[in-house]
């Protein structure tokens, strides 16, 4: 019989990003955001918001995040001050410009 129609599918980088910090109560309004690297990820999309608004929406390369080999701990310190009070953040790995991994869990923290 004839072949069926061809389909394509993009595979996400393996696994969900696991975050490390910040969490809980902190005092630094410009904290470092840390997470475990995802194998195959070349970029990470970081989102952070305080109670007022989204303050950080930026893509960092794996090299800028300190984990160019796709292993170990990634960390960035955006030069954006968050307001005192409740905050949230999450990170998403990217393998290429059109292949995204799963967002990490949304992590809540507060700045006192």
């Amino acid at each position: 019989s004839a072949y069926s129609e061809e389909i394509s599918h993009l595979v996400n980088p393996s696994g969900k990003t696991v975050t490390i910090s910040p969490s809980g109560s902190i005092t630094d309004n410009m904290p470092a955001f840390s997470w475990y690297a995802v194998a195959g990820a070349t970029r990470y999309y970081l989102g952070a918001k305080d109670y007022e608004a989204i303050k950080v929406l930026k893509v960092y390369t794996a090299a800028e995040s300190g984990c160019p080999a796709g292993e170990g701990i990634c960390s960035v310190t955006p030069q954006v001050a968050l307001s005192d009070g409740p905050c949230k953040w999450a990170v998403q790995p990217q393998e290429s410009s059109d292949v995204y991994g799963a967002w990490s869990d949304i992590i809540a923290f507060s700045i006192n």
Side-chain angles (χ1 to χ4, degrees), residues 21-98:
S21 66
S23 64
S25 181
I26 65 170
T27 57
D28 188 355
N29 288 79
M30 291 179 26
F33 293 87
S34 301
W35 61 91
Y36 290 103
V38 173
T42 58
R43 291 183 288 278
Y44 293 91
Y45 188 48
L46 174 67
K49 70 180 291 293
D50 57 23
Y51 73 93
E52 296 175 329
I54 295 172
K55 296 284 180 89
V56 179
L57 277 177
K58 185 172 179 183
V59 174
Y60 293 91
T61 66
E64 289 173 320
S65 304
C67 51
E71 54 190 37
I73 295 174
C74 306
S75 184
V76 296
T77 305
Q79 297 302 301
V80 177
L82 299 170
S83 298
D84 287 356
C87 301
K88 296 179 181 178
W89 75 284
V91 66
Q92 179 186 37
Q94 277 185 277
E95 195 173 277
S96 67
S97 62
D98 60 352

Side-chain angles (χ1 to χ4, degrees), residues 14 62 97 100:
S14 61
S97 62
Y100 297 84

